[in-house]
Amino acid sequence: MKEDVSIRLLSRQIDGQDCEETELLSMGTLEMTEKGYIISYEETEATGFDGSTTSLEFSDGNKVVMNRRGKVVSDLVVEMGTKHHCAYGTPYGEFMVGVNATKVSSTVDRNGGTLLFHYVIDVNSSYVGDFEVSVEVKPSNGSSSGIVS
């Protein structure tokens, strides 16, 4: 079952002393699957990934799989207790990154909720940054999408 939802995504990137925060307000879908849930939304020019669709698949509060398809292709696996090497596409090219989860939790059910995941990224074993993502989904009320930052 797939439902229209409003999405508030707060992303924080911490690199040493610097912290960059972006908030995305968008419409998307919440799909209940046999294994858990999938949140999907369209990226915008403001995020640098316009023309792409991002989906977040999760089930047990232990693992999130982020797939981005369109002008860029990315596949990140954020899983507690396991380091994953993933292809990460940007408008400037694709590269392999190491992904270590530090927190994964979800209160999402068919009525909405919040998905939280924190992870560390490295390239060639060199630290890139800590990332914190909070995705709040609510039943759709007809709002339009936008970016706040």
Side-chain angles (χ1 to χ4, degrees):
M1 174 197 298
K2 193 182 279 192
E3 299 290 333
D4 291 335
V5 292
S6 62
I7 297 171
R8 177 181 179 261
L9 185 143
L10 181 60
S11 174
R12 190 174 295 136
Q13 178 180 349
I14 303 152
D15 176 11
Q17 302 295 334
D18 299 324
C19 180
E20 182 179 316
E21 190 172 282
T22 302
E23 183 176 10
L24 170 70
L25 304 174
S26 184
M27 298 305 294
T29 60
L30 174 64
E31 180 179 359
M32 190 166 68
T33 68
E34 288 182 20
K35 296 180 181 180
Y37 295 93
I38 300 173
I39 298 169
S40 297
Y41 59 93
E42 299 293 322
E43 295 284 353
T44 68
E45 186 177 322
T47 64
F49 296 105
D50 72 327
S52 298
T53 300
T54 297
S55 65
L56 302 166
E57 186 173 352
F58 56 99
S59 57
D60 58 9
N62 187 49
K63 178 179 176 181
V64 176
V65 178
M66 183 191 84
N67 296 300
R68 186 173 287 133
R69 298 291 183 264
K71 291 183 180 178
V72 297
V73 174
S74 293
D75 296 298
L76 287 184
V77 180
V78 180
E79 182 177 15
M80 294 300 295
T82 304
K83 180 176 183 175
H84 289 274
H85 292 88
C86 306
Y88 189 77
T90 73
Y92 310 104
E94 184 177 297
F95 51 96
M96 293 297 290
V97 297
V99 181
N100 279 310
T102 57
K103 179 178 183 176
V104 177
S105 67
S106 172
T107 62
V108 175
D109 63 20
R110 64 184 181 170
N111 299 310
T114 302
L115 170 66
L116 299 168
F117 54 105
H118 301 181
Y119 56 99
V120 177
I121 286 189
D122 67 72
V123 174
N124 294 329
S125 297
S126 294
Y127 174 78
V128 171
D130 287 85
F131 296 80
E132 300 174 356
V133 179
S134 170
V135 185
E136 182 181 345
V137 293
K138 294 182 180 179
S140 175
N141 64 4
S143 335
S144 60
S145 62
I147 261 241
V148 178
S149 164

